[in-house]
């Protein structure tokens, strides 16, 4: 796991938004070669028993840490659906997280960033938004739902029973966070734990979704703030969530820049154990070890007793 975390951090550093014009790395295997991805059948992935005794499955391997998801198309022109990160070394089914990138962003960048936050524990499915490679964004809610569904289906077609069923964590950055709020509002049972990062420029999106989300089973909300002026709107959103009956936190990374930099990744990772505590499939999760205090600060808003 230490090697995986190191690779993730290197990828995150390479994907820094501090210089948007420079070439970005592509998802490849460790040696830079193209990797043929083959499905892991349910028979290969499932636990088995011998002589009545439980036999643990072999660790998940033979894949790069991030895999591009595509849909076959005519004339060898597949449709790009997004990316999924792989919890290499897992011996049990792992939970699934959905991460929505921002405008002008890339799904592989989002995957690399959240991979660092969650210490490579879950599968992270990062759908591709609409538009050209240089200007990806999000359209309307129905289109976003369809893109999530297609990327998730493609990931499950590869990893089958390694990907747990049940509730998922939903995260979004910037415009992706606005879409995440709408998705969570419509399906709180699927997404009871939500992370909205840097959507305070549209504060209504962080507040209006909360009533139906909490009423439908929403449990914990993490609001990630990186820019000046973000704290006030997100404090109001977190306070509102607490009044409705959910627990909420505002994570203030203190970068004064709109982006998920390494400082932001470290800051959010401080609150991740709280976000997934008691969540289905996350009982074996351990945060990334650190010898120094994590940057930023957190404001907690607990629901009334």
């Amino acid at each position: 796991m230490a090697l995986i975390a190191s690779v993730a951090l290197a990828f995150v550093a390479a994907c820094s938004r501090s210089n948007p014009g420079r070439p970005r790395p592509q998802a490849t295997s460790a040696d830079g070669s193209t990797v043929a991805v083959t499905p892991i059948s349910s028979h290969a992935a499932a636990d088995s028993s011998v002589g009545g005794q439980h036999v643990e499955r072999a660790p998940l391997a033979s894949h790069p840490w991030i895999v591009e998801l595509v849909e076959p198309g005519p004339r060898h022109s597949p449709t790009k659906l997004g990316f999924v990160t792989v919890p290499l070394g897992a011996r049990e089914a792992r939970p699934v997280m959905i991460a929505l990138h921002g405008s002008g962003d890339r799904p592989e960048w989002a995957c690399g960033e959240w991979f660092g936050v969650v210490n490579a524990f879950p599968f992270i499915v990062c759908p591709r938004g609409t538009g050209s490679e240089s200007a990806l964004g999000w359209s309307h809610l129905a289109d976003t739902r369809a893109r999530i569904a297609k990327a998730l289906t493609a990931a499950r077609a590869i990893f089958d029973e390694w990907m747990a069923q049940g509730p998922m964590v939903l995260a979004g950055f910037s415009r992706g966070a606005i879409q995440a709020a709408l998705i969570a509002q419509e399906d709180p049972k699927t997404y009871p734990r939500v992370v909205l990062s840097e959507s305070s420029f549209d504060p209504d999106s962080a507040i209006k979704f909360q009533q139906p989300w909490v009423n439908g089973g929403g449990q914990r909300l993490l609001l990630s703030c990186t820019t000046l002026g973000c704290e006030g709107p997100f404090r109001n959103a977190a306070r509102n969530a607490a009044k409705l009956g959910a627990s909420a936190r505002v994570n203030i990374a203190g970068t004064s820049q709109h982006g998920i930099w390494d400082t932001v990744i470290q800051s959010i990772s401080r609150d991740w154990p709280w976000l997934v505590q008691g969540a289905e499939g996350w009982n074996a999760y351990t945060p990334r070890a650190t010898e120094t205090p994590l940057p930023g600060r957190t404001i907690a808003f607990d629901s009334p007793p």
Side-chain angles (χ1 to χ4, degrees):
M1 291 296 290
L3 176 59
I4 298 171
S6 298
V7 173
L9 289 175
F11 183 83
V12 170
C15 291
S16 167
R17 293 189 179 87
S18 60
N19 186 358
R22 71 181 180 186
R24 303 291 184 162
Q26 300 299 310
T28 59
S29 64
D31 62 2
S33 61
T34 301
V35 177
V37 177
T38 55
I40 301 175
S41 72
S42 58
H43 298 292
D47 292 339
S48 60
S49 60
V50 177
Q53 294 184 339
H54 175 78
V55 178
E56 191 177 53
R57 70 180 77 174
L60 177 56
S62 301
H63 286 271
W65 70 273
I66 185 169
V67 172
E68 184 165 22
L69 303 170
V70 297
E71 183 177 62
R75 298 180 181 179
H76 305 288
S77 179
T79 300
K80 296 181 178 182
L81 303 178
F83 287 78
V84 61
T85 68
V86 186
L88 297 173
R91 291 180 177 272
E92 71 290 323
R94 290 289 178 87
V96 179
M97 172 180 169
I98 305 295
L100 304 182
H101 62 75
S103 292
D105 207 341
R106 300 273 188 90
E108 61 267 41
W109 302 350
C111 266
E113 292 154 359
W114 293 106
F115 192 77
V117 170
V118 303
N119 198 26
F121 183 76
F123 285 92
I124 309 174
V125 176
C126 305
R128 183 184 186 276
T130 182
S132 66
E133 286 294 322
S134 61
L136 290 177
W138 301 101
S139 179
H140 52 84
L141 183 58
D143 181 72
T144 302
R145 282 201 310 264
R147 290 176 182 277
I148 292 173
K150 286 184 177 182
L152 187 56
T153 297
R156 290 194 183 280
I158 300 169
F159 296 103
D160 198 13
E161 290 185 6
W162 284 103
M163 298 178 71
Q165 301 292 331
M168 296 179 283
V169 173
L170 176 63
F173 169 74
S174 192
R175 291 289 179 186
I178 295 174
Q179 291 293 299
L182 295 173
I183 295 291
Q185 172 181 317
E186 285 206 339
D187 198 357
K189 290 191 181 299
T190 299
Y191 304 110
R193 314 286 174 111
V194 174
V195 187
L196 305 180
S197 180
E198 276 299 294
S199 61
S200 61
F201 58 87
D202 181 13
D204 283 351
S205 66
I207 293 179
K208 288 184 176 179
F209 90 99
Q210 294 179 14
Q211 183 87 54
W213 177 68
V214 174
N215 290 346
Q219 298 168 350
R220 297 193 177 189
L221 172 64
L222 178 58
L223 299 164
S224 165
C225 210
T226 71
T227 54
L228 296 175
C230 170
E231 182 178 338
F234 269 3
R235 271 178 176 265
N236 291 336
R239 190 176 293 111
N240 184 62
K243 288 180 179 178
L244 292 170
S247 293
R249 287 189 177 187
V250 179
N251 180 287
I252 302 166
T255 63
S256 300
Q257 294 177 305
H258 186 70
I260 304 183
W261 328 97
D262 186 58
T263 298
V264 179
I265 290 168
Q266 293 180 53
S267 187
I268 297 176
S269 69
R270 177 179 59 254
D271 293 310
W272 203 263
W274 165 82
L275 181 75
V276 299
Q277 182 181 23
E280 187 175 331
W282 287 84
N283 57 301
Y285 163 75
T286 55
R288 185 173 65 182
T290 178
E291 296 180 357
T292 58
L294 293 171
R297 57 191 175 91
T298 297
I299 308 169
F301 295 80
D302 294 324
S303 58

